[in-house]
Amino acid sequence: MKFKLITRSINFKALLVGLSAVLYCSNISLVSAANPIDTQRPDAPKLAAYGEFDIGVRTLKVVNPEQVDMLSIDTTQAQPAELPKYDRPLTIEVWYPAQKGSEGSNILNAFIRDGKTQVKLTGKAIRDAKPASTQSAYPLVLISHGYPGNRYLLSHLAENIASKGYVVVSIDHTDSTYRTQAAFASTLVNRPVDQLFVLSQVDEMSQDKSSFLYDLVDANNTALIGYSMGGYGAVVNAGAGVTEIAVNSPQSPPFGTLKRHQAGLKPKADPRLKTIIAFAPWGMNYYMFSNETLKTATVPMLLVAGSQDNVSGYENGVRAIWQGMSNSDRSLLTFDHANHNAGAVMPAPEESYRFDERLGFNVSEHYIDAVWDNVRMNNIAQHFVSAWLAKYLKDDDNMQAYLELVPNSNDGIWAMDKQAQPKAEHNYWKGFKEHTAKGLRFESLKAAE
């Protein structure tokens, strides 16, 4: 008897995702997917490429003492004479330039949106690698995730930046992570505080001979990158205050606990912050800010948004913040037709492609965009963030050419001669290959004189 072998094209990715879901539901362990965070597409713009440094990564824990315990406030009772306090724990992940040829694990063990599934992310950073020797300390970049999120949500950006000569510190914000998600009031009050506290902690470590960060990082030359609620905190720390309406709203944190961030009452921007990058910063569309309270922001800022953001808003949200910060030099990068995840969020881990009964949606929806590919957005974000940080933290004048662009990328003209030199009419977005600068806008405004 003869048998005829019939072959068919199989979508192995879909098969793996489906099998993962079945085994997960059956409580059967399965070797995790690779989940790379360091992918560079062929159409990635020039500055998305990794830099000259090997990368190390370490996990540290810090504690901010005597903070208001937002979760212990009893709103059914009258305001107490003294609000409850606690020592607020924070976990931070540190990416840094490492010694050449560092070897070890390149795996990050991260929880995903469901708060219970731990997956492996793979990149270029080596766990606990020895820091690279340096004659001058590297600039500091802080990263602050959304609500909920965790310190790995922007890990693609963190290790990419570190490879270019920065120390990058990403924060797990207590009460805001997938595992610790709690009352939103805690995030509103604590997010700006967490960011500046971690800045100060890293500053202290840089001067402590027992710390691996000793003489490695210059906290006086810092950038803050925030996504969503991290962006909200970043806008506050840029020098903007929240409105009185927000402080006194019945939906706001109780007993005036948000007042510490109110316009006219909060301190000016920390002088250690030289620039801020805010992905989809939340708040303007909920009257947290106004044109009046945004006027006090003075730190140069790059804002990144999707034109269809249904969380932070676009015209009445991120774009309105960009327009309202009249005393800051600022730029706005827009991904046309993208939603809230534009640029910031890493690719969805393979294990997230399943429906979660408790959440009521497919876990992957937390990461993906309906129009844009995550890796494509990540590469574009890496490109612009690299140019922006080099300009403001390294005084690299060559970066300005990557930031002075035809506002609408679709209007750019590609015109090269036979020697591959630009003709007079060439105004295509610098760093982008022909036909690849599409569906984007880059607009800039100067601080009022």
Side-chain angles (χ1 to χ4, degrees):
M1 182 179 294
K2 295 183 178 180
F3 294 92
K4 184 178 181 182
L5 180 63
I6 300 175
T7 61
R8 295 185 182 181
S9 176
I10 299 175
N11 186 332
F12 285 100
K13 179 177 178 180
L15 182 62
L16 176 60
V17 171
L19 182 58
S20 298
V22 171
L23 295 179
Y24 179 89
C25 294
S26 303
N27 294 316
I28 300 174
S29 62
L30 180 70
V31 176
S32 296
N35 297 323
I37 59 170
D38 58 347
T39 304
Q40 295 276 299
R41 284 178 31 145
D43 57 1
K46 182 178 180 179
L47 300 183
Y50 275 70
E52 62 178 299
F53 293 97
D54 284 12
I55 316 155
V57 61
R58 300 190 186 189
T59 305
L60 302 175
K61 294 183 183 294
V62 295
V63 176
N64 193 1
E66 288 293 296
Q67 296 303 298
V68 175
D69 187 353
M70 298 300 300
L71 304 186
S72 295
I73 295 176
D74 187 352
T75 57
T76 66
Q77 303 295 319
Q79 181 174 348
E82 184 175 348
L83 293 173
K85 299 287 183 66
Y86 78 131
D87 294 341
R88 180 171 169 81
L90 299 168
T91 300
I92 58 178
E93 202 75 8
V94 185
W95 286 263
Y96 52 90
Q99 289 185 2
K100 286 290 183 183
S102 295
E103 296 181 352
S105 173
N106 68 333
I107 292 173
L108 302 172
N109 293 306
F111 284 95
I112 61 175
R113 175 62 180 89
D114 64 7
K116 58 189 177 184
T117 305
Q118 191 175 41
V119 304
K120 296 183 184 301
L121 310 177
T122 58
K124 299 188 186 303
I126 301 300
R127 176 64 59 183
D128 297 327
K130 290 184 179 180
S133 299
T134 179
Q135 296 298 314
S136 57
Y138 300 108
L140 172 63
V141 180
L142 302 175
I143 294 182
S144 181
H145 62 74
Y147 174 87
N150 63 23
R151 64 191 188 273
Y152 298 121
L153 190 60
L154 279 70
S155 54
H156 72 90
L157 187 58
E159 73 162 34
N160 186 283
I161 296 168
S163 76
K164 295 163 183 172
Y166 301 89
V167 171
V168 184
V169 177
S170 187
I171 309 165
D172 254 6
H173 293 280
T174 303
D175 305 333
S176 285
T177 72
Y178 305 132
R179 302 271 288 170
T180 67
Q181 185 179 0
F184 190 57
S186 175
T187 295
L188 284 172
V189 172
N190 285 307
R191 186 54 62 95
V193 179
D194 287 351
Q195 292 169 351
L196 291 187
F197 172 72
V198 170
L199 170 55
S200 294
Q201 287 290 288
V202 174
D203 198 352
E204 290 182 16
M205 293 176 194
S206 72
Q207 302 171 59
D208 180 356
K209 290 185 178 180
S210 68
S211 171
F212 87 98
L213 290 174
Y214 177 68
D215 277 352
L216 189 71
V217 58
D218 180 8
N220 289 314
N221 190 24
T222 296
L224 170 59
I225 298 177
Y227 165 58
S228 194
M229 289 309 298
Y232 151 81
V235 172
V236 171
N237 283 326
V242 301
T243 63
E244 186 175 4
I245 292 173
V247 171
N248 297 321
S249 168
Q251 284 74 44
S252 287
F255 304 138
T257 44
L258 193 59
K259 200 167 189 176
R260 65 193 300 176
H261 305 312
Q262 186 175 332
L265 301 178
K266 65 179 293 295
K268 293 181 179 179
D270 191 305
R272 294 172 294 184
L273 287 175
K274 305 307 181 189
T275 191
I276 282 172
I277 300 173
F279 289 84
W282 179 90
M284 189 71 175
N285 56 334
Y286 286 92
Y287 308 103
M288 296 298 297
F289 308 109
S290 69
N291 286 340
E292 195 62 33
T293 69
L294 289 169
K295 286 181 180 178
T296 55
T298 56
V299 180
M301 181 179 286
L302 170 64
L303 296 100
V304 183
S307 66
Q308 300 301 314
D309 190 328
N310 64 357
V311 176
S312 295
Y314 182 70
E315 292 292 348
N316 67 336
V318 183
R319 190 175 183 84
I321 292 175
W322 172 70
Q323 291 168 328
M325 295 179 63
S326 55
N327 288 309
S328 298
D329 289 344
R330 69 273 193 206
S331 295
L332 173 64
L333 171 64
T334 302
F335 289 77
D336 281 338
H337 308 297
N339 205 321
H340 188 57
N341 289 342
V345 177
M346 69 180 185
E350 295 283 6
E351 297 89 343
S352 72
Y353 283 84
R354 59 174 186 79
F355 185 84
D356 185 273
E357 294 287 348
R358 181 182 64 84
L359 294 176
F361 57 83
N362 191 293
V363 182
S364 66
E365 294 174 22
H366 176 70
Y367 304 89
I368 61 176
D369 184 81
V371 174
W372 286 79
D373 171 66
N374 278 75
V375 175
R376 176 63 176 156
M377 290 194 293
N378 289 169
N379 291 165
I380 292 169
Q382 291 156 4
H383 170 84
F384 279 102
V385 168
S386 295
W388 193 268
L389 293 180
K391 175 182 177 179
Y392 284 101
L393 297 187
K394 295 187 175 182
D395 298 319
D396 188 343
D397 294 335
N398 294 322
M399 293 298 105
Q400 191 58 33
Y402 294 94
L403 303 171
E404 290 182 348
L405 307 171
V406 176
N408 190 330
S409 67
N410 295 349
D411 295 334
I413 298 172
W414 184 275
M416 294 287 188
D417 62 22
K418 292 181 180 179
Q419 286 72 43
Q421 295 300 310
K423 297 180 180 179
E425 64 269 29
H426 180 84
N427 64 356
Y428 208 74
W429 279 22
K430 185 173 177 61
F432 283 75
K433 298 175 184 177
E434 187 178 9
H435 307 305
T436 66
K438 300 296 181 183
L440 299 163
R441 283 175 279 158
F442 193 87
E443 305 163 275
S444 298
L445 290 171
K446 284 286 190 181
E449 298 294 335

